[in-house]
Amino acid sequence: MLTFYNIAKSIIYKVFAVVFAALLTLTNGVNGLLNGDIYPYDSNSKVVGLESLERAQGVTTDGEYWYFSGKTSLVKIGFDNQTVYAYNYKALDGELSENYNSKHIGGISYYNGYIYASLEDSKQWQHPVIALYDAETLEYTGICHEVSSEILTRGIPWVAVDAENGFIYASHSKTVEEIHCFDLDTFEYVKSFAVSDPMDAIQGGEVYKGKLYVGTNDSTRAVYTIDVKSGKVEKLFDRIMYQPKLIDNFGGEGEDLTVYPMEDGTLIHALDIGALFIDSNLRHYKWDV
């Protein structure tokens, strides 16, 4: 039987644990500054409430707009983080749902007027799909490709377009030891390349200047680069170090990222969703490449 003393003790312990975690995060960030490390975090484009559901999975940009995916939706937002230019709240209706049992949109990538989206059948892992949406209207184009579940054995949580080399990159959702390459024109599987260091829970990626940038939902929500020629992995920073967990995102998940040089000097734009989908944060990081 719980007594008042035990309840009070439990509450005090939880408060202490939260405050300690916040202080540890702050201390790590300060230590990084004292040791001469680059402090990359610059700003946060936050939304709360129902809008967070529309910005809960994927993000990409064409240099003029942000494109976000929710579980079954797509939305096109101005850089003011407010103006909605297009939306599709039923992006999985029709053929995608009927033929592939698609129930979940993951990471997305922009190329040549299209949004490339990763689609899953809600953790059944039977029908990983890459689908194209018109970037102007966000309507489904009728173009999609089902990837063999023998290649992507645990779904397809993200895709990234590499126009220079003619590939679409993807991996499954758990520990990643190799990146799979699909032909940009035909969507057919071409090859896989090994990475120098395994990464856990990649949730999104984007190609910039010959490197694949990926963001994870591991314990630190790390951002890595992968050399697509050699497979060499380099950790850039841990997102969790530069965000005030107690105030700005207690709990939640690390999601997709995109890479684009903005006028304010930020380059890496990483999405995370707060606990219970209360808030969505597009955090902007400065980084020299």
Side-chain angles (χ1 to χ4, degrees), residues 44 55-56 221 239 243 248-249 251-256 270-274 279-283 285:
N44 178 14
R55 311 186 195 189
R221 300 181 190 171
R239 283 186 273 168
Q243 60 192 65
D248 202 13
N249 190 38
E253 298 180 8
E255 300 292 351
D256 198 3
L271 184 67
D272 64 66
I273 187 74
D279 61 328
S280 174
N281 306 279
L282 182 63
R283 304 183 195 272
Y285 301 85

Side-chain angles (χ1 to χ4, degrees), residues 78-233:
F79 281 169
D80 63 0
N81 202 44
Q82 296 180 354
T83 307
V84 178
Y85 288 89
Y87 58 85
N88 183 351
Y89 294 142
K90 297 181 179 181
L92 298 182
D93 283 6
E95 172 192 344
L96 295 169
S97 176
E98 295 169 4
N99 295 349
Y100 308 106
N101 197 30
S102 296
K103 295 180 179 179
H104 182 277
I105 304 174
I108 57 178
S109 187
Y110 172 87
Y111 172 63
N112 197 30
Y114 296 100
I115 303 299
Y116 289 69
S118 58
L119 312 182
E120 296 181 335
D121 52 356
S122 194
K123 299 185 179 181
Q124 297 180 33
W125 319 126
Q126 298 301 308
H127 301 286
V129 170
I130 302 171
L132 265 63
Y133 293 82
D134 186 304
E136 183 68 27
T137 65
L138 300 184
E139 293 299 314
Y140 172 53
T141 63
I143 302 171
C144 74
H145 178 78
E146 182 178 6
V147 179
S148 170
S149 58
E150 294 182 1
I151 298 172
L152 289 170
T153 57
R154 287 185 61 86
I156 180 170
W158 64 279
V159 292
V161 172
D162 181 354
E164 181 178 349
N165 293 301
F167 289 131
I168 305 168
Y169 300 124
S171 73
H172 58 61
S173 60
K174 292 298 182 182
T175 302
V176 174
E177 297 180 343
E178 59 183 5
I179 302 295
H180 304 299
C181 309
F182 303 88
D183 187 274
L184 182 56
D185 295 322
T186 67
F187 295 85
E188 295 296 329
Y189 172 73
V190 177
K191 64 177 182 178
S192 300
F193 66 85
V195 295
S196 62
D197 297 289
M199 293 157 285
D200 290 331
I202 295 177
Q203 293 295 298
E206 202 81 276
V207 175
Y208 181 72
K209 290 189 175 181
K211 289 188 176 182
L212 173 61
Y213 289 68
V214 297
T216 68
N217 186 39
D218 61 8
S219 60
T220 65
R221 300 181 190 171
V223 175
Y224 298 88
T225 61
I226 305 170
D227 188 303
V228 298
K229 299 297 185 183
S230 67
K232 179 177 175 55
V233 172

